[in-house]
Amino acid sequence: MKEIILCKYGEIALKGLNKSTFESMMIKTIKRRLASAGEFRVTKSQSTLYVEPLGDEPDVDEFENRLSKIFGIVKLCRSGAVEKDIKAICEKAPEYLADVLEGARTFKVNARRSDKKFPLKSPEICAELGGAILEKFPHLEVDVHEPQVTVTVEVREDYAFIHSDPVDGAGGIPVGSSGHAMLLLSGGIDSPVAGYMMARRGAVVEAIHFEAPPYTSDRARMKVEKLAELMTAYCGDIKFFCVPFTEIQLKLRANCPEELFTILMRRLMMEIAQRICEKEDDIQALITGESLGQVASQTMYAMVCTDAACRMPVFRPCVGLDKAEIIEIARKIGTFETSILPYEDCCTVFTPKHPKTRPSLEEVEKAQASFDFEPYIKEAVEGTTVRLIKHI
Ligand code: ATP
Ligand code: MG
């Protein structure tokens, strides 16, 4: 049977956003992300986008999988498309939903008719189809209050769509609807999650990574690139900036108090990231994976010192999450397994033994001013490489 995926975007998502802008953004994203899955058609009607895989044997699973990662889609209904005829509906629906119906004890039918010319009214459709299902699956009982399965028939313009309970989409709002930000991406668990969370709220996300060869290896960088690639399933294409950070770290180690390394390093990272953003077109904010109190450099004192080095706003969507909650998201989005591979991060290579958890801004600024980092900052910015990581 021909299958179509109905993508529903709740009205909540439309608040504050112009509906047609929202829809065309979604359609554009869908076209881009599904392009390599095969031919398909996408149309819209009544707050629903219809994605219709075309060709002889389309890989509908793959289409569904990709759609489940597109922000703005709240529910997905993989549906059988049947001709708008009650006989055909009663014959094809039990067949199409046989797997779910066989595994259930109770069900109900829910009918919606946006085509008011259809000869049967909704309650009549329910009665007819309910009867047909009971005939094919005599073990079932109707339960209109708490059914295990709800069979829905939506009689729309071209077809009657049949589906069981919808599955959750990625939620959020479409990427591109709320600005453009640069994620400081390490090889750890938290920063990919932070990027995902901001993209879910509509931000276009680029990534910047600081490496310290030869203290960090090519493999470590490739791991971070892999993380960025995994993120593209949700975020779309990502520009990946890689900054040579070794010189700065060596100068830091030679010239500044060890207990302030991490915080100074973070401030210098922020400075470089901002200069690169300024060279780019319209990047408005930075994103980090910091979580309050997780490590010494993430106490509020430390964050105050970091932010003082920032002209741009810094978003930290993981700030109020426990590690376990961050891990849960990392697992869900498929970055966790890559994040836990062993690697050297430029931070871990130069970690002080006793980092200060309550640095004062005054001492941090004084320490930073005691050495002229400017030429090294310039050099790092100039030596930064950029690569476009295309969505998978
Ligand atoms: P993560 O799991 O994201 O690595 P973390 O808990 O290990 O975070 P830190 O290593 O203290 O925490 O880093 C805090 C944040 O600083 C990271 O979430 C990331 O945004 C940024 N960061 C750290 N190291 C790098 C790096 N080498 N390149 C880019 N950003 C980095
Ligand atoms: Mg880290």
Side-chain angles (χ1 to χ4, degrees):
M1 188 185 310
K2 179 187 194 53
E3 289 191 286
I4 291 189
I5 304 165
L6 276 56
C7 310
K8 316 222 169 181
Y9 41 89
E11 290 301 316
I12 302 161
L14 300 179
K15 264 190 200 159
L17 276 174
N18 178 303
K19 183 168 172 176
S20 62
T21 316
F22 175 95
E23 285 169 333
S24 45
M25 225 174 241
M26 297 281 299
I27 290 174
K28 230 168 89 187
T29 306
I30 289 174
K31 283 187 173 159
R32 222 180 308 125
R33 302 265 190 94
L34 271 53
S36 58
E39 263 187 77
F40 65 98
R41 186 166 33 227
V42 50
T43 46
K44 62 170 184 190
S45 160
Q46 297 161 341
S47 292
T48 303
L49 296 173
Y50 296 72
V51 175
E52 181 181 352
L54 302 170
D56 285 343
E57 279 187 27
D59 185 350
V60 185
D61 286 345
E62 180 59 17
F63 281 102
E64 191 180 12
N65 173 37
R66 293 194 191 195
L67 286 167
S68 73
K69 294 175 177 157
I70 293 179
F71 295 127
I73 299 174
V74 174
K75 295 276 177 200
L76 291 167
C77 307
R78 181 165 169 170
S79 315
V82 179
E83 77 187 87
K84 286 173 20 177
D85 167 72
I86 189 66
K87 253 200 168 142
I89 294 171
C90 289
E91 192 189 311
K92 302 263 176 68
E95 227 171 79
Y96 181 63
L97 299 175
D99 283 354
V100 261
L101 291 172
E102 255 156 31
R105 275 185 296 106
T106 59
F107 81 107
K108 79 168 181 183
V109 179
N110 172 18
R112 269 178 247 145
R113 229 173 33 130
S114 56
D115 172 9
K116 300 294 177 204
K117 290 201 230 76
F118 191 73
L120 275 73
K121 296 213 170 67
S122 300
E124 294 164 339
I125 304 174
C126 290
E128 291 275 337
L129 180 55
I133 290 175
L134 284 171
E135 216 168 275
K136 291 254 165 57
F137 301 94
H139 74 282
L140 282 174
E141 269 176 42
V142 174
D143 180 346
V144 290
H145 301 295
E146 281 184 47
Q148 287 176 332
V149 175
T150 302
V151 173
T152 301
V153 187
E154 303 187 35
V155 183
R156 297 205 177 208
E157 240 162 273
D158 297 328
Y159 296 99
F161 294 104
I162 293 155
H163 57 84
S164 55
D165 300 307
V167 298
D168 287 340
I173 56 177
V175 167
S177 60
S178 46
H180 198 165
M182 180 75 93
L183 168 69
L184 278 80
L185 182 61
S186 68
I189 297 166
D190 309 333
S191 43
V193 169
Y196 158 86
M197 287 172 81
M198 293 301 292
R200 189 165 189 266
R201 296 308 305 163
V204 176
V205 174
E206 315 295 359
I208 186 165
H209 175 66
F210 294 80
E211 62 170 358
Y215 303 94
T216 61
S217 63
D218 274 353
R219 287 221 352 251
R221 191 194 51 242
M222 277 151 63
K223 174 189 167 183
V224 182
E225 287 177 344
K226 177 72 193 171
L227 285 172
E229 189 185 304
L230 292 170
M231 289 174 63
T232 61
Y234 292 93
C235 305
D237 296 351
I238 293 179
K239 256 188 179 176
F240 181 83
F241 296 85
C242 195
V243 185
F245 204 49
T246 319
E247 273 311 304
I248 291 194
Q249 289 193 301
L250 293 173
K251 290 291 175 282
L252 247 175
R253 190 157 68 174
N255 297 287
C256 299
E258 178 181 314
E259 57 179 9
L260 297 178
F261 275 3
T262 318
I263 186 74
L264 289 171
M265 194 164 68
R266 192 80 69 229
R267 283 166 59 94
L268 290 161
M269 280 184 180
M270 292 302 201
E271 180 56 39
I272 293 168
Q274 291 175 98
R275 294 208 195 174
I276 288 168
C277 290
E278 281 155 10
K279 292 209 298 186
E280 289 294 300
D281 190 26
D282 200 30
I283 299 184
Q284 299 150 299
L286 301 174
I287 305 168
T288 76
E290 289 162 301
S291 162
L292 191 62
Q294 199 186 80
V295 288
S297 62
Q298 298 176 24
T299 63
M300 206 177 291
Y301 300 90
M303 288 190 196
V304 166
C305 295
T306 306
D307 276 2
C310 295
R311 304 176 284 284
M312 295 166 88
V314 182
F315 293 119
R316 299 177 170 93
C318 298
V319 76
L321 296 181
D322 289 351
K323 194 74 184 186
E325 292 166 318
I326 300 174
I327 289 175
E328 197 182 315
I329 301 175
R331 282 190 197 281
K332 188 179 85 180
I333 65 174
T335 52
F336 182 72
E337 295 301 327
T338 303
S339 287
I340 58 171
L341 295 172
Y343 78 110
E344 331 78 46
D345 185 50
C346 67
C347 299
T348 44
V349 175
F350 292 87
T351 304
K353 281 193 206 71
H354 304 289
K356 210 163 191 175
T357 51
R358 294 188 174 207
S360 79
L361 182 56
E362 201 189 340
E363 66 178 329
V364 168
E365 284 179 340
K366 206 169 132 214
Q368 193 169 335
S370 70
F371 181 79
D372 182 15
F373 284 101
E374 184 55 31
Y376 301 96
I377 293 175
K378 280 210 177 90
E379 206 177 279
V381 171
E382 272 158 28
T384 296
T385 56
V386 53
R387 199 192 124 195
L388 182 68
I389 300 187
K390 301 284 283 177
H391 72 84
I392 40 176

